[in-house]
Amino acid sequence: MERLCSSPLHANISTALDKHLESIRVVQARRKDEILSASSRQRHGPPRCQDEGVVLALALALQALCLATCKVRTALWCALQMTLPK
C-alpha cells in the first residue's frame, strides 16, 4: 500500500501489524504448551483434567489475538482508504 500512495503509511499501521504477528506467535506458543502438557499427562497415567494454568494462558493469548485482530483490521482499512484515489 505504501507503493500505491508513494509515501510511507502512518506508524500506527506498522505497529498494529507487528502486534498482530506477535499475538499470533504467542497463541502458537501457548497451544504448543497445551499440547505438551496434555501428552505428558497421558504418558503418566489415566487422563485427568487439563492444567488450568496452561488453558488460562491460552485463553488470555486468544483474547489478546482477538483484540489485535480488530485493531489491525481497522488499521488496514484506514491504509486502504488513504491509498484510494480521491
Side-chain angles (χ1 to χ4, degrees), residues 8-28:
L9 296 173
H10 196 273
N12 288 349
I13 295 169
S14 297
T15 303
L17 287 167
D18 291 340
K19 286 183 180 180
H20 188 250
L21 182 59
E22 180 61 27
S23 295
I24 290 170
R25 289 181 177 150
V26 169
V27 168
Q28 288 173 336

Side-chain angles (χ1 to χ4, degrees), residues 2-59:
E2 290 175 336
R3 290 182 197 156
L4 291 174
C5 67
S6 302
S7 65
L9 296 173
H10 196 273
N12 288 349
I13 295 169
S14 297
T15 303
L17 287 167
D18 291 340
K19 286 183 180 180
H20 188 250
L21 182 59
E22 180 61 27
S23 295
I24 290 170
R25 289 181 177 150
V26 169
V27 168
Q28 288 173 336
R30 297 299 174 257
R31 180 67 177 129
K32 185 185 283 186
D33 293 344
E34 182 193 21
I35 291 169
L36 289 174
S37 175
S39 67
S40 68
R41 260 185 271 119
Q42 287 179 354
R43 283 189 228 135
H44 295 111
R48 293 180 248 155
C49 293
Q50 286 191 331
D51 184 18
E52 289 181 14
V54 174
V55 174
L56 182 61
L58 177 60

